[in-house]
Amino acid sequence: MSVPVQQVCAALPEYAEIEKSSQAAEMPPAPGMAMGPCPGMVMAPGPGMVMAPGPGMVMAPGVTLAPATTISLQRVHSRDFLVWSIFNVIHMNIFCLGFIAVAFSVKARDRRFVGDQNGAKHYGNTAKHLNIAATVLTVLVYLILIILAFFGAFTAVYYG
């Protein structure tokens, strides 16, 4: 059971005011827009367009049109530092920090694949800090060994 459009429009209080004024019949719709079922209402032709009041359409008191809010979803790529961790295990594994960094890097990668971005970011930051500590400590140890070797701390002394 369908109700004719004119009866539905006649029930709207705005329709009576539009019918009294002849503005709706005189003004054509904006380019790219089509006339709606009620006089004075302009409808968007597709899903990407927004419904707007047409010429001569009376808005209810206190009603204003708000701009549409656009929400953009961005996938945050968290880093896991797995390559750096493996490098630290092979070359600079002082105090076993490289092994611990690999464990946190793998946890960060697992969290990222599951979709837990906060967990991946947390584990990735921990792996980064462990890698920094392992690299700095190893470089310091190598520098101390080079300085000691330069001053002859590792030479054999024969008395005889």
Side-chain angles (χ1 to χ4, degrees), residues 17 23 51 88 91 120:
E17 294 175 21
Q23 286 179 342
M51 187 138 173
N88 280 336
H91 296 288

Side-chain angles (χ1 to χ4, degrees), residues 12-94:
L12 298 172
E14 295 88 8
Y15 181 75
E17 294 175 21
I18 293 173
E19 279 296 313
K20 291 178 187 174
S21 69
S22 60
Q23 286 179 342
E26 294 173 6
M27 299 178 105
M33 305 296 270
M35 289 301 293
C38 299
M41 179 184 280
V42 178
M43 295 179 65
M49 300 185 77
V50 180
M51 187 138 173
M57 185 173 182
V58 179
M59 297 295 290
V63 175
T64 57
L65 292 177
T69 303
T70 304
I71 298 173
S72 61
L73 298 176
Q74 297 177 351
R75 184 177 174 113
V76 178
H77 181 70
S78 58
R79 300 185 63 183
D80 55 13
F81 303 102
L82 186 61
V83 175
W84 190 10
S85 300
I86 291 172
F87 179 80
N88 280 336
V89 166
I90 294 171
H91 296 288
M92 307 179 184
N93 197 19
I94 191 163

Side-chain angles (χ1 to χ4, degrees), residues 44-146:
M49 300 185 77
V50 180
M51 187 138 173
M57 185 173 182
V58 179
M59 297 295 290
V63 175
T64 57
L65 292 177
T69 303
T70 304
I71 298 173
S72 61
L73 298 176
Q74 297 177 351
R75 184 177 174 113
V76 178
H77 181 70
S78 58
R79 300 185 63 183
D80 55 13
F81 303 102
L82 186 61
V83 175
W84 190 10
S85 300
I86 291 172
F87 179 80
N88 280 336
V89 166
I90 294 171
H91 296 288
M92 307 179 184
N93 197 19
I94 191 163
F95 304 122
C96 294
L97 290 177
F99 287 121
I100 300 169
V102 166
F104 277 97
S105 296
V106 170
K107 282 185 179 185
R109 184 166 285 191
D110 290 344
R111 291 287 96 200
R112 188 177 70 212
F113 285 139
V114 170
D116 180 14
Q117 294 299 322
N118 290 332
K121 188 175 179 181
H122 171 71
Y123 286 124
N125 282 338
T126 304
K128 178 177 74 172
H129 294 138
L130 288 169
N131 282 324
I132 289 171
T135 304
V136 168
L137 288 173
T138 303
V139 168
L140 285 175
V141 167
Y142 285 155
L143 283 175
I144 290 170
L145 288 175
I146 290 171

